[in-house]
Amino acid sequence: MAIAERHDGIFSFTELSETELDQLVDLVDSSWNREAKFYVASGKISFSETARRIVAVCDTPYSNVPEHRVGIWRWPGPPTHAAAYSDGSTGLISPEEYADINKADFVDVASTVSRKPSRE
C-alpha cells in the first residue's frame, strides 16, 4: 500500500510515515497473527521494477488459505506463507519458497516498530 500511495513510486522501510508505521503496528498486534513475524525488504523498492520480487513476507505458514471444499466437507490446504510483491500484488508461497528467501535482505517489523500499549 505504501508504494502505491507514494508519488515517486519508491518504498523504503526506513522512510515510512507515522501513519504507515501505525498500519504495520496494527498488523503486528493483530490477534489473528500475534505469533507470526513479518519481514519487509530493507532496501529501496521501486513500484516500476521490471522484476517482480517479494517485498514483505510472513514467517508463519498457515493452512486455512486456500481452504479445500467438496460439498459440505472442508479440510485445510497445504501450509503457505503470505507474501507481498513489488508490483503491488499479494500471494501465497510454499515453505520451500520461504526457505529460499535471503532473510538478510529483510527487516523484522516487530523488532523495528513500537508496539501499541496494552488494551487491557
Side-chain angles (χ1 to χ4, degrees):
M1 288 175 19
I3 292 174
E5 293 173 2
R6 293 177 179 271
H7 68 279
D8 61 1
I10 303 290
F11 169 85
S12 175
F13 182 76
T14 59
E15 298 171 5
L16 291 177
S17 69
E18 286 298 316
T19 301
E20 293 163 338
L21 285 171
D22 284 345
Q23 290 171 341
L24 283 176
V25 170
D26 288 342
L27 176 69
V28 170
D29 281 346
S30 169
S31 62
W32 286 93
N33 47 28
R34 188 164 298 268
E35 301 302 316
K37 288 187 179 181
F38 295 90
Y39 294 95
V40 176
S42 58
K44 289 193 176 205
I45 300 151
S46 171
F47 189 65
S48 62
E49 288 182 10
T50 55
R52 181 177 183 244
R53 66 180 175 129
I54 293 175
V55 296
V57 67
C58 176
D59 77 331
T60 304
Y62 291 96
S63 297
N64 59 339
V65 177
E67 181 180 77
H68 297 276
R69 186 177 206 159
V70 176
I72 61 169
W73 302 102
R74 293 188 227 177
W75 65 92
T80 53
H81 297 264
Y85 295 92
S86 57
D87 64 0
S89 65
T90 58
L92 301 171
I93 62 173
S94 70
E96 294 78 19
E97 291 169 303
Y98 176 79
D100 287 341
I101 295 172
N102 182 357
K103 309 308 183 294
D105 295 337
F106 289 79
V107 175
D108 175 3
V109 174
S111 68
T112 308
V113 297
S114 300
R115 287 187 175 271
K116 290 185 177 178
S118 174
R119 295 178 180 101
E120 297 173 6

